Amino acid sequence: MRDSVLWRKKSHIIMMLVDRLEIDEERALNIFYSTKTYQLLSDPNSGIQLISDEYILENILNEIIDQ
């Protein structure tokens, strides 16, 4: 996936976190970058980049609930 497309995807997911959790952008960034889902998004071999942003958001929310 092209870097610019992946960057926009990550940005969109972070802003979805802001809206869903009603938190500020800095807190959303901290949550996002601390997840296994972020690590998978950064790995071009994982294939998660092709999954919808909404599904990825749900993965992140499940991760933080399980912590």
Side-chain angles (χ1 to χ4, degrees):
M1 182 172 272
R2 297 189 66 115
D3 289 340
S4 61
V5 173
L6 186 55
W7 182 86
R8 282 192 301 269
K9 184 174 193 72
K10 290 176 182 177
S11 298
H12 184 239
I13 293 166
I14 291 165
M15 293 313 297
M16 290 169 66
L17 268 175
V18 167
D19 291 340
R20 179 73 73 88
L21 299 177
E22 297 179 352
I23 57 176
D24 62 37
E25 291 85 0
E26 185 176 351
R27 178 83 175 115
L29 283 167
N30 289 335
I31 291 170
F32 178 74
Y33 287 124
S34 69
T35 63
K36 182 174 173 73
T37 303
Y38 164 71
Q39 293 172 0
L40 290 171
L41 274 170
S42 299
D43 177 6
N45 297 317
S46 73
I48 196 171
Q49 302 84 354
L50 303 175
I51 296 174
S52 75
D53 295 353
E54 291 79 13
Y55 184 85
I56 292 171
L57 174 66
E58 292 303 319
N59 281 348
I60 291 170
L61 294 172
N62 288 332
E63 275 189 67
I64 62 174
I65 289 170
D66 291 339
Q67 288 180 351

